[in-house]
PDB file of all heavy atoms in Angstrom:
ATOM      1  N   ASP V  19     124.549 108.571 130.147  1.00  0.00           N
ATOM      2  CA  ASP V  19     123.226 109.067 129.880  1.00  0.00           C
ATOM      3  C   ASP V  19     122.199 108.005 130.132  1.00  0.00           C
ATOM      4  O   ASP V  19     122.026 107.071 129.387  1.00  0.00           O
ATOM      5  CB  ASP V  19     123.155 109.540 128.441  1.00  0.00           C
ATOM      6  CG  ASP V  19     121.848 110.265 128.123  1.00  0.00           C
ATOM      7  OD1 ASP V  19     120.971 110.339 129.011  1.00  0.00           O
ATOM      8  OD2 ASP V  19     121.688 110.736 127.003  1.00  0.00           O
ATOM      9  N   THR V  20     121.514 108.114 131.297  1.00  0.00           N
ATOM     10  CA  THR V  20     120.564 107.083 131.648  1.00  0.00           C
ATOM     11  C   THR V  20     119.129 107.597 131.462  1.00  0.00           C
ATOM     12  O   THR V  20     118.132 106.912 131.836  1.00  0.00           O
ATOM     13  CB  THR V  20     120.715 106.637 133.092  1.00  0.00           C
ATOM     14  OG1 THR V  20     120.604 107.816 133.950  1.00  0.00           O
ATOM     15  CG2 THR V  20     122.100 106.050 133.318  1.00  0.00           C
ATOM     16  N   GLY V  21     118.968 108.783 130.903  1.00  0.00           N
ATOM     17  CA  GLY V  21     117.616 109.353 130.838  1.00  0.00           C
ATOM     18  C   GLY V  21     116.607 108.560 130.070  1.00  0.00           C
ATOM     19  O   GLY V  21     115.437 108.627 130.306  1.00  0.00           O
ATOM     20  N   HIS V  22     117.079 107.736 129.096  1.00  0.00           N
ATOM     21  CA  HIS V  22     116.120 107.020 128.260  1.00  0.00           C
ATOM     22  C   HIS V  22     115.402 105.911 129.017  1.00  0.00           C
ATOM     23  O   HIS V  22     114.473 105.337 128.491  1.00  0.00           O
ATOM     24  CB  HIS V  22     116.872 106.418 127.041  1.00  0.00           C
ATOM     25  CG  HIS V  22     117.950 105.459 127.421  1.00  0.00           C
ATOM     26  ND1 HIS V  22     119.173 105.865 127.881  1.00  0.00           N
ATOM     27  CD2 HIS V  22     117.969 104.104 127.407  1.00  0.00           C
ATOM     28  CE1 HIS V  22     119.906 104.808 128.123  1.00  0.00           C
ATOM     29  NE2 HIS V  22     119.215 103.723 127.855  1.00  0.00           N
ATOM     30  N   HIS V  23     115.860 105.643 130.255  1.00  0.00           N
ATOM     31  CA  HIS V  23     115.178 104.579 131.029  1.00  0.00           C
ATOM     32  C   HIS V  23     113.995 105.154 131.829  1.00  0.00           C
ATOM     33  O   HIS V  23     113.259 104.400 132.394  1.00  0.00           O
ATOM     34  CB  HIS V  23     116.178 103.987 132.029  1.00  0.00           C
ATOM     35  CG  HIS V  23     117.270 103.267 131.320  1.00  0.00           C
ATOM     36  ND1 HIS V  23     117.093 102.093 130.614  1.00  0.00           N
ATOM     37  CD2 HIS V  23     118.597 103.524 131.264  1.00  0.00           C
ATOM     38  CE1 HIS V  23     118.263 101.718 130.124  1.00  0.00           C
ATOM     39  NE2 HIS V  23     119.204 102.557 130.505  1.00  0.00           N
ATOM     40  N   LEU V  24     113.840 106.469 131.852  1.00  0.00           N
ATOM     41  CA  LEU V  24     112.755 107.026 132.659  1.00  0.00           C
ATOM     42  C   LEU V  24     111.429 106.754 132.026  1.00  0.00           C
ATOM     43  O   LEU V  24     111.228 106.680 130.814  1.00  0.00           O
ATOM     44  CB  LEU V  24     112.942 108.573 132.782  1.00  0.00           C
ATOM     45  CG  LEU V  24     114.070 108.943 133.711  1.00  0.00           C
ATOM     46  CD1 LEU V  24     114.370 110.436 133.554  1.00  0.00           C
ATOM     47  CD2 LEU V  24     113.713 108.671 135.137  1.00  0.00           C
ATOM     48  N   LYS V  25     110.401 106.533 132.904  1.00  0.00           N
ATOM     49  CA  LYS V  25     109.060 106.253 132.416  1.00  0.00           C
ATOM     50  C   LYS V  25     108.444 107.471 131.761  1.00  0.00           C
ATOM     51  O   LYS V  25     108.548 108.580 132.244  1.00  0.00           O
ATOM     52  CB  LYS V  25     108.181 105.817 133.589  1.00  0.00           C
ATOM     53  CG  LYS V  25     108.741 104.642 134.360  1.00  0.00           C
ATOM     54  CD  LYS V  25     107.906 104.448 135.590  1.00  0.00           C
ATOM     55  CE  LYS V  25     108.452 103.383 136.500  1.00  0.00           C
ATOM     56  NZ  LYS V  25     107.709 103.220 137.730  1.00  0.00           N
ATOM     57  N   GLU V  26     107.773 107.252 130.638  1.00  0.00           N
ATOM     58  CA  GLU V  26     107.171 108.383 129.903  1.00  0.00           C
ATOM     59  C   GLU V  26     106.113 109.077 130.732  1.00  0.00           C
ATOM     60  O   GLU V  26     105.868 110.288 130.603  1.00  0.00           O
ATOM     61  CB  GLU V  26     106.568 107.930 128.574  1.00  0.00           C
ATOM     62  CG  GLU V  26     107.624 107.412 127.608  1.00  0.00           C
ATOM     63  CD  GLU V  26     106.992 107.008 126.287  1.00  0.00           C
ATOM     64  OE1 GLU V  26     105.777 107.191 126.162  1.00  0.00           O
ATOM     65  OE2 GLU V  26     107.686 106.544 125.393  1.00  0.00           O
ATOM     66  N   GLN V  27     105.449 108.377 131.631  1.00  0.00           N
ATOM     67  CA  GLN V  27     104.363 108.973 132.390  1.00  0.00           C
ATOM     68  C   GLN V  27     104.812 109.768 133.551  1.00  0.00           C
ATOM     69  O   GLN V  27     104.023 110.340 134.311  1.00  0.00           O
ATOM     70  CB  GLN V  27     103.381 107.898 132.842  1.00  0.00           C
ATOM     71  CG  GLN V  27     103.938 106.903 133.883  1.00  0.00           C
ATOM     72  CD  GLN V  27     104.522 105.697 133.242  1.00  0.00           C
ATOM     73  OE1 GLN V  27     105.020 105.748 132.112  1.00  0.00           O
ATOM     74  NE2 GLN V  27     104.463 104.550 133.926  1.00  0.00           N
ATOM     75  N   GLU V  28     106.117 109.942 133.755  1.00  0.00           N
ATOM     76  CA  GLU V  28     106.561 110.724 134.902  1.00  0.00           C
ATOM     77  C   GLU V  28     106.135 112.179 134.690  1.00  0.00           C
ATOM     78  O   GLU V  28     106.128 112.706 133.574  1.00  0.00           O
ATOM     79  CB  GLU V  28     108.072 110.688 135.032  1.00  0.00           C
ATOM     80  CG  GLU V  28     108.535 109.396 135.697  1.00  0.00           C
ATOM     81  CD  GLU V  28     110.014 109.472 136.036  1.00  0.00           C
ATOM     82  OE1 GLU V  28     110.672 110.436 135.698  1.00  0.00           O
ATOM     83  OE2 GLU V  28     110.482 108.554 136.690  1.00  0.00           O
ATOM     84  N   PRO V  29     105.759 112.860 135.792  1.00  0.00           N
ATOM     85  CA  PRO V  29     105.395 114.257 135.692  1.00  0.00           C
ATOM     86  C   PRO V  29     106.564 115.093 135.254  1.00  0.00           C
ATOM     87  O   PRO V  29     107.699 114.689 135.430  1.00  0.00           O
ATOM     88  CB  PRO V  29     104.945 114.622 137.128  1.00  0.00           C
ATOM     89  CG  PRO V  29     105.597 113.608 137.998  1.00  0.00           C
ATOM     90  CD  PRO V  29     105.682 112.357 137.149  1.00  0.00           C
ATOM     91  N   PRO V  30     106.332 116.311 134.702  1.00  0.00           N
ATOM     92  CA  PRO V  30     107.405 117.133 134.126  1.00  0.00           C
ATOM     93  C   PRO V  30     108.552 117.353 135.109  1.00  0.00           C
ATOM     94  O   PRO V  30     109.666 117.394 134.726  1.00  0.00           O
ATOM     95  CB  PRO V  30     106.660 118.420 133.743  1.00  0.00           C
ATOM     96  CG  PRO V  30     105.246 118.040 133.575  1.00  0.00           C
ATOM     97  CD  PRO V  30     105.015 116.917 134.524  1.00  0.00           C
ATOM     98  N   HIS V  31     108.205 117.554 136.422  1.00  0.00           N
ATOM     99  CA  HIS V  31     109.279 117.926 137.325  1.00  0.00           C
ATOM    100  C   HIS V  31     110.171 116.741 137.641  1.00  0.00           C
ATOM    101  O   HIS V  31     111.256 116.932 138.212  1.00  0.00           O
ATOM    102  CB  HIS V  31     108.719 118.461 138.671  1.00  0.00           C
ATOM    103  CG  HIS V  31     108.025 117.429 139.522  1.00  0.00           C
ATOM    104  ND1 HIS V  31     106.754 116.996 139.222  1.00  0.00           N
ATOM    105  CD2 HIS V  31     108.429 116.819 140.636  1.00  0.00           C
ATOM    106  CE1 HIS V  31     106.413 116.111 140.167  1.00  0.00           C
ATOM    107  NE2 HIS V  31     107.437 116.002 141.014  1.00  0.00           N
ATOM    108  N   LYS V  32     109.793 115.532 137.286  1.00  0.00           N
ATOM    109  CA  LYS V  32     110.670 114.398 137.498  1.00  0.00           C
ATOM    110  C   LYS V  32     111.207 113.865 136.186  1.00  0.00           C
ATOM    111  O   LYS V  32     111.740 112.763 136.104  1.00  0.00           O
ATOM    112  CB  LYS V  32     109.876 113.277 138.203  1.00  0.00           C
ATOM    113  CG  LYS V  32     109.302 113.706 139.575  1.00  0.00           C
ATOM    114  CD  LYS V  32     110.390 113.847 140.607  1.00  0.00           C
ATOM    115  CE  LYS V  32     109.770 114.326 141.923  1.00  0.00           C
ATOM    116  NZ  LYS V  32     109.029 113.361 142.624  1.00  0.00           N
ATOM    117  N   ALA V  33     111.013 114.622 135.105  1.00  0.00           N
ATOM    118  CA  ALA V  33     111.466 114.155 133.796  1.00  0.00           C
ATOM    119  C   ALA V  33     112.969 114.232 133.669  1.00  0.00           C
ATOM    120  O   ALA V  33     113.641 114.961 134.376  1.00  0.00           O
ATOM    121  CB  ALA V  33     110.808 114.957 132.675  1.00  0.00           C
ATOM    122  N   ALA V  34     113.496 113.425 132.738  1.00  0.00           N
ATOM    123  CA  ALA V  34     114.957 113.439 132.495  1.00  0.00           C
ATOM    124  C   ALA V  34     115.373 114.722 131.836  1.00  0.00           C
ATOM    125  O   ALA V  34     114.765 115.182 130.858  1.00  0.00           O
ATOM    126  CB  ALA V  34     115.333 112.275 131.596  1.00  0.00           C
TER     127      ALA V  34
END
Side-chain angles (χ1 to χ4, degrees):
D19 187 356
T20 59
H22 61 282
H23 296 293
L24 287 168
K25 303 173 186 175
E26 292 183 4
Q27 65 269 30
E28 282 190 353
H31 72 283
K32 301 289 176 72

